Amino acid sequence: MVVYKFKDEVSEPIKGRSYVYDLHYHLVWVTKYRNKALTPQIQEALKDKLLEIAKENEVTVEAMEIMPNHVHILVSAKPKLSITVMIKKFKGITGKWLFKEFPELKNQFWHGHIWSPSYYVGSVGQTTEDVIKKYIKSQKERPFK
């Protein structure tokens, strides 16, 4: 189920049949040449398309904002879905779709590519790296369960 929320709430780990996960990724990608081609009308349509892609791929969208030349999206996804595959789906599907829905974009982008080939991904968690390191280092000192 896809959730789209802008609330400042702490998420709970998600339980599956054979796993428990709490994975959150901040994804950012930009238009080619940082071209400010994403008008407010395109931004709204693009949000809907990204939510549709997320739903089809069992990705939860936790927050999203689209600027004139880049996209910010915070997502949670099952461990089996790689970040590379996720970003390729978001960028690949929306790139083709944007040219189809908004043909005027072809005048601003050459060679049929709206998105820059690069992207940023950052992991987001509720536990700091230091806490995890201490937890791992203290395993032999703790009672075995």
Side-chain angles (χ1 to χ4, degrees), residues 20 22 25 30 33 35 43 51 57 61 65 67 78 82 101 110 114-115 136 139-140:
V20 177
D22 191 13
Y25 306 106
V30 300
Y33 319 113
N35 189 326
Q43 291 173 22
L51 287 170
N57 291 279
V61 175
E65 193 58 73
M67 302 302 290
K78 293 180 180 180
S82 80
E101 293 294 312
W110 303 273
I114 192 167
W115 303 120
I136 291 171
Q139 286 301 294
K140 296 223 176 201

Side-chain angles (χ1 to χ4, degrees), residues 11-23 76 78-79:
S11 61
E12 292 293 320
I14 298 167
K15 296 175 183 170
R17 187 169 161 221
S18 59
Y19 53 83
V20 177
Y21 70 93
D22 191 13
L23 300 172
S76 178
K78 293 180 180 180

Side-chain angles (χ1 to χ4, degrees), residues 9 18 35 37 45 52 58 70-72 77 89-90 93 100 104 110 115 125-126 128 135 138-139 145:
E9 59 188 50
S18 59
N35 189 326
E52 180 184 310
E58 300 181 87
H70 65 281
V71 174
H72 282 273
K89 287 183 183 216
F90 282 141
I93 293 169
K100 182 181 172 197
E104 66 274 15
W110 303 273
W115 303 120
Q126 298 173 32
T128 67
Y135 177 78
S138 70
Q139 286 301 294
K145 293 182 184 181

Side-chain angles (χ1 to χ4, degrees), residues 37-91:
L38 305 177
T39 65
Q41 178 191 9
I42 293 172
Q43 291 173 22
E44 287 307 309
L46 183 54
K47 283 181 183 180
D48 291 339
K49 187 64 175 177
L50 287 166
L51 287 170
E52 180 184 310
I53 295 165
K55 184 175 183 179
E56 290 169 359
N57 291 279
E58 300 181 87
V59 173
T60 301
V61 175
E62 298 175 339
M64 176 175 20
E65 193 58 73
I66 299 175
M67 302 302 290
N69 66 352
H70 65 281
V71 174
H72 282 273
I73 188 167
L74 178 63
V75 298
S76 178
K78 293 180 180 180
K80 70 178 184 177
L81 181 59
S82 80
I83 295 166
T84 305
V85 168
M86 188 184 338
I87 199 85
K88 280 183 180 181
K89 287 183 183 216
F90 282 141
K91 289 172 66 178

Side-chain angles (χ1 to χ4, degrees), residues 22 24 123-128:
D22 191 13
H24 308 272
S123 60
V124 180
Q126 298 173 32
T127 308
T128 67

Side-chain angles (χ1 to χ4, degrees), residues 98-107:
L98 282 166
F99 282 132
K100 182 181 172 197
E101 293 294 312
F102 302 94
E104 66 274 15
L105 288 173
K106 291 178 184 175
N107 299 329

